[in-house]
Amino acid sequence: MIIEFRLNHEKRTIDIDPSARMLDVLRDDFGLTSVKEGCGEGECGACVILVDGRAMNSCILPAGAVCGKSVVTLEGFKHTKRYRAIENGFLKAGSVQCGFCTPGFVMATESLLNENPHPTDEEIKDGLSGNLCRCTGYNMIIQGVRLAIKEGEGLW
Amino acid sequence: MVNGFRPRTLREALQILSANNCTVMAGGTDLMVQRARGFSIRPDFDRPLVFIEPLEELKHSVRENGTLHLGPCMTLSDLLRHPAVPDPLKEIIGMMASPPTRNMATLGGNICNASPAGDTLPWLYAMNAKLKLQSAEKERIVAIEDFITGPKKTILQSDELLTGILVPDTRFHLNRYRKLGQRKGMSLTKASFLGMAEISGNTVTDIRIALGSVAPRIVRAAEIERSMLGRYVGDINAAAAVITERYQPLITPIDDARSTAMYRKKVSLDLIRQFLETLSGSPGTGTKSE
Ligand SMILES: Cc1cc2nc3c(=O)[nH]c(=O)nc-3n(C[C@H](O)[C@H](O)[C@H](O)COP(=O)(O)OP(=O)(O)OC[C@H]3O[C@@H](n4cnc5c(N)ncnc54)[C@H](O)[C@@H]3O)c2cc1C
Ligand code: FES
Ligand code: FES
């Protein structure tokens, strides 16, 4: 099936099995390795990308579903001011240890703040409830998001 | 290579389904996981896929003449944001999956997947929801309990789509929802309980109880509910154990990786009894009866 979509703000056309996982398409066909595979079943959030600005699990997202949509991975997001704010927040709070979960957390944070620029702690927890981290114990990540919100005031 | 269709209108989608043997893909959150896990009932990905999630006609939601119309391709996130969606359903959806999965998963998918652990089902059963099924030639409306015939089994024909979810716009003063899962908002439900009641002058005027994940199908017993209508809340409180006992044979969970059958049964019965006991002391009751 011919799939036309935008990937990190550029027009792309691929001819591919529409049931292919976006995770594989992004990593194997486009070399976008910020997209990680953890569980492969929608439970860990390591593979989270943005589709039309909303976080989705690329490991269970069929390629055919992105026709006409805009897909953004960390590679496309990292040139933005919003990314810079999240990066600084995460750095200051020590939200990153091994880093495997980090791209997914960054994309989920962007999706959350896009929809709700001033979340409560409870709302941050819910917004990131689909992302697992084996290293940090979450509090540092929540703190990182708090700092990002402060630094990025007005960006979302 | 597997073929895929991206119909632009509902009519086009129905024509594709009548001309080809296809697999319908909505959000894909059930189908893609079923494929990844190699379930016994494996989705047929050798057939062409029809992507219906973008169909605008299936994404509307309105309240009209006492009926709430919910579009089957609305995602769980769409429903959480929509002003016409009643709070009890939002409460249930807020406890389903995580935001990224909710951004993909559709209401129609939850229904058509027909899992006894489908979390929107107890509410739809309790509300007497009806489903509109459409093919290129015909249209039929069926009650949800007639639509789902067993775990993962429905009466949907291969040329049909679920195109509408019709819910009588009944409000209840008392709504209680409990979901037992392993981890908040993620894993499949071990047991869920929904109780809704309307009480006026200390008398039960309407009561609905539905349970998920504790039997091959959603448990709802219209006869037991009817037996409580018109009774004083104090009477129901006093008879709570006896009434709960009538649910016992209906609750037949299986042992699986999620939980033991005994645990699920005990919790379910406790939740029913507690709900019946709290009817007295709820809005609509004058003095709290003991
Ligand atoms: C990480 C994770 C967590 C989850 N948590 C929960 C949870 O807490 N509670 C819960 O209930 N579920 C949960 N699920 C299951 C799933 O997300 C839901 O059942 C979801 O609503 C399915 O919708 P979908 O659009 O993704 O379905 P799909 O996978 O696209 O489709 C499911 C089935 O329905 C059919 N179908 C879909 N729409 C139509 C239509 N309009 N007409 C005809 N046939 C149709 C498809 O052909 C397929 O057979 C979870 C899934 C994951 C991956
Ligand atoms: S790899 Fe996609 S959610 Fe875990
Ligand atoms: S930092 Fe290692 S998994 Fe999160």
Side-chain angles (χ1 to χ4, degrees):
Chain A
M1 181 171 162
I2 309 276
I3 295 169
E4 284 179 44
F5 68 117
R6 297 184 76 83
L7 177 56
N8 293 332
H9 316 295
E10 277 175 46
K11 260 202 175 138
R12 299 287 191 164
T13 305
I14 45 171
D15 187 5
I16 199 168
D17 178 342
S19 77
R21 306 186 304 170
M22 259 332 262
L23 170 74
D24 299 323
V25 175
L26 294 170
R27 287 182 63 89
D28 302 344
D29 295 275
F30 292 100
L32 298 168
T33 51
S34 74
V35 190
K36 306 289 182 212
E37 173 159 19
C39 63
E41 298 188 352
E43 302 256 358
C44 77
C47 65
V48 167
I49 58 169
L50 301 178
V51 179
D52 286 349
R54 298 239 159 85
M56 294 192 185
N57 305 99
S58 65
C59 67
I60 52 173
L61 180 67
V66 306
C67 279
K69 303 204 173 170
S70 164
V71 173
V72 174
T73 68
L74 191 71
E75 287 85 348
F77 181 54
K78 73 178 179 197
H79 308 293
T80 62
K81 285 189 187 148
R82 289 178 175 190
Y83 170 77
R84 191 64 59 207
I86 297 174
E87 182 184 59
N88 286 338
F90 277 31
L91 280 175
K92 279 188 213 146
S95 318
V96 182
Q97 287 185 23
C98 80
F100 187 80
C101 68
T102 310
F105 268 102
V106 171
M107 301 319 272
T109 300
E110 158 65 11
S111 176
L112 165 70
L113 297 182
N114 213 358
E115 214 177 315
N116 178 5
H118 297 285
T120 61
D121 278 353
E122 227 19 74
E123 287 166 342
I124 296 178
K125 279 184 200 158
D126 181 63
L128 304 182
S129 62
N131 295 74
L132 301 186
C133 174
R134 313 269 295 184
C135 307
T136 64
Y138 303 105
N139 282 338
M140 291 141 136
I141 297 179
I142 311 255
Q143 185 57 24
V145 175
R146 281 251 146 275
L147 293 175
I149 294 168
K150 211 189 247 168
E151 171 167 339
E153 183 60 51
L155 292 178
W156 284 280
Chain B
M1 191 186 288
V2 186
N3 198 356
F5 293 102
R6 301 264 318 170
R8 250 156 292 168
T9 61
L10 174 60
R11 168 189 272 275
E12 199 186 319
L14 294 173
Q15 276 159 358
I16 292 167
L17 285 176
S18 72
N20 308 266
N21 205 357
C22 295
T23 293
V24 172
M25 179 76 82
T29 61
D30 274 316
L31 287 175
M32 296 291 281
V33 171
Q34 284 158 12
R35 176 177 69 175
R37 287 196 189 154
F39 272 9
S40 51
I41 306 174
R42 193 123 27 134
D44 194 341
F45 278 16
D46 295 331
R47 303 191 299 200
L49 303 179
V50 186
F51 290 86
I52 61 164
E53 193 274 332
L55 292 176
E56 279 304 322
E57 292 141 288
L58 303 185
K59 282 180 166 296
H60 289 301
S61 186
V62 284
R63 196 177 274 147
E64 221 173 57
N65 306 326
T67 301
L68 182 64
H69 298 251
L70 298 172
C73 285
M74 293 180 82
T75 64
L76 300 181
S77 303
D78 290 339
L79 292 161
L80 279 180
R81 278 189 292 265
H82 202 289
V85 174
D87 289 341
L89 180 58
K90 285 187 177 165
E91 182 189 346
I92 292 169
I93 292 173
M95 291 166 82
M96 291 171 73
S98 64
T101 311
R102 292 203 293 257
N103 287 338
M104 308 164 67
T106 66
L107 179 60
N110 201 236
I111 297 170
C112 294
N113 192 50
S115 158
D119 282 330
T120 63
L121 299 178
W123 184 81
L124 292 165
Y125 274 66
M127 295 296 288
N128 298 326
K130 291 196 163 50
L131 305 177
K132 185 154 117 184
L133 311 179
Q134 255 177 287
S135 68
E137 279 85 44
K138 61 182 194 322
E139 177 183 313
R140 51 182 177 150
I141 291 184
V142 297
I144 188 155
E145 65 267 26
D146 298 328
F147 176 73
I148 298 177
T149 54
K152 310 263 164 185
K153 291 208 181 73
T154 71
I155 59 166
L156 195 74
Q157 304 285 311
S158 64
D159 62 346
E160 280 178 323
L161 284 178
L162 168 62
T163 57
I165 299 145
L166 314 176
V167 185
D169 195 7
T170 318
R171 303 298 172 95
F172 295 86
H173 278 98
L174 193 64
N175 290 280
R176 174 176 302 188
Y177 180 65
R178 292 286 180 275
K179 163 170 162 169
L180 284 91
Q182 273 156 327
R183 192 149 35 82
K184 186 193 162 277
M186 294 284 291
S187 325
L188 288 179
T189 307
K190 279 179 189 176
S192 68
F193 168 88
L194 177 69
M196 303 192 292
E198 197 57 22
I199 290 155
S200 141
N202 281 319
T203 302
V204 177
T205 57
D206 198 348
I207 185 163
R208 321 262 175 107
I209 290 174
L211 297 105
S213 293
V214 295
R217 294 211 248 166
I218 301 301
V219 172
R220 183 172 172 211
E223 203 188 312
I224 306 178
E225 289 173 9
R226 260 197 307 276
S227 74
M228 290 186 266
L229 296 184
R231 288 175 68 179
Y232 284 112
V233 286
D235 281 358
I236 303 276
N237 190 338
V242 179
I243 300 169
T244 304
E245 193 54 32
R246 294 183 63 189
Y247 280 92
Q248 163 110 354
L250 308 176
I251 297 175
T252 54
I254 45 163
D255 274 314
D256 66 10
R258 279 183 269 141
S259 187
T260 67
M262 232 170 63
Y263 171 74
R264 291 155 91 163
K265 182 153 188 166
K266 179 175 175 347
V267 169
S268 309
L269 293 171
D270 283 351
L271 286 168
I272 297 173
R273 188 177 40 75
Q274 282 161 16
F275 177 67
L276 297 177
E277 286 170 356
T278 50
L279 291 183
S280 45
S282 56
T285 58
T287 50
K288 199 177 164 161
S289 53
E290 294 308 322

